[in-house]
Amino acid sequence: YANLALADIYFRSSLKGSTEKEKKEKFQKAHNIFQTTIERDPKNIYAANGMGVALVLFKQVEAAKKVFKQVQDAEKDMPAAWVNLGHVYTHLKQYPNAVQSYEHALVSFPDSLNR
C-alpha cells in the first residue's frame, strides 16, 4: 500500500512539475514504482490501474489501453477500469467502444458511479 501511495505522489507531482524535464522525471519515478509493485504482485490491480492512468496523461494511450484491458481481465468487478478504458477509447476517437465501456460500468456498478 505504501508503494502505491508513493507512486501516486510522484504521479500527481509530475503533473505540476516546473519544467518538462522535471515532469518526465517524476512520471518515470511513478511508473517505476507501479512497475515494481506489479512485478512483486502481478495481481495488484490497483497498481496496474494507477499505471494506466499515468500512461494516459503522458500520452501513451495504446499502452494504457492494454493495461486497462489487463485489469478488466483480472478483475471484472472494478468500475474504474471500465470507466478508464472508456476514457481511452474516447481519446482514440473509438466512440462505439467508449459508449460500450461506459454503459457497462453504469449498468454493472450503478452504486459505485453515482457519487
Side-chain angles (χ1 to χ4, degrees), residues 64-65 68-69 72 80-90 98 101:
K65 182 170 94 171
F68 291 133
K69 285 183 168 228
Q72 286 179 334
W82 291 94
V83 172
N84 289 335
L85 188 58
H87 295 335
V88 167
Y89 284 134
T90 299
S101 292

Side-chain angles (χ1 to χ4, degrees), residues 24-94:
K24 287 180 181 181
E25 287 172 356
K26 290 180 179 180
F27 167 74
Q28 191 60 50
K29 284 182 181 181
H31 183 274
N32 291 344
I33 295 169
F34 284 131
Q35 187 65 43
T36 300
T37 302
I38 293 167
E39 288 169 4
R40 289 181 184 159
D41 180 7
K43 294 182 180 183
N44 190 324
I45 58 172
Y46 300 103
N49 193 65
M51 180 182 285
V53 170
L55 290 168
V56 167
L57 292 173
F58 278 84
K59 314 274 190 262
Q60 297 176 29
V61 182
E62 285 296 331
K65 182 170 94 171
K66 182 178 176 184
V67 169
F68 291 133
K69 285 183 168 228
Q70 290 172 337
V71 172
Q72 286 179 334
D73 290 343
E75 179 59 61
K76 300 284 187 215
D77 295 330
M78 186 177 189
W82 291 94
V83 172
N84 289 335
L85 188 58
H87 295 335
V88 167
Y89 284 134
T90 299
H91 184 79
L92 294 171
K93 297 182 180 8
Q94 296 176 5

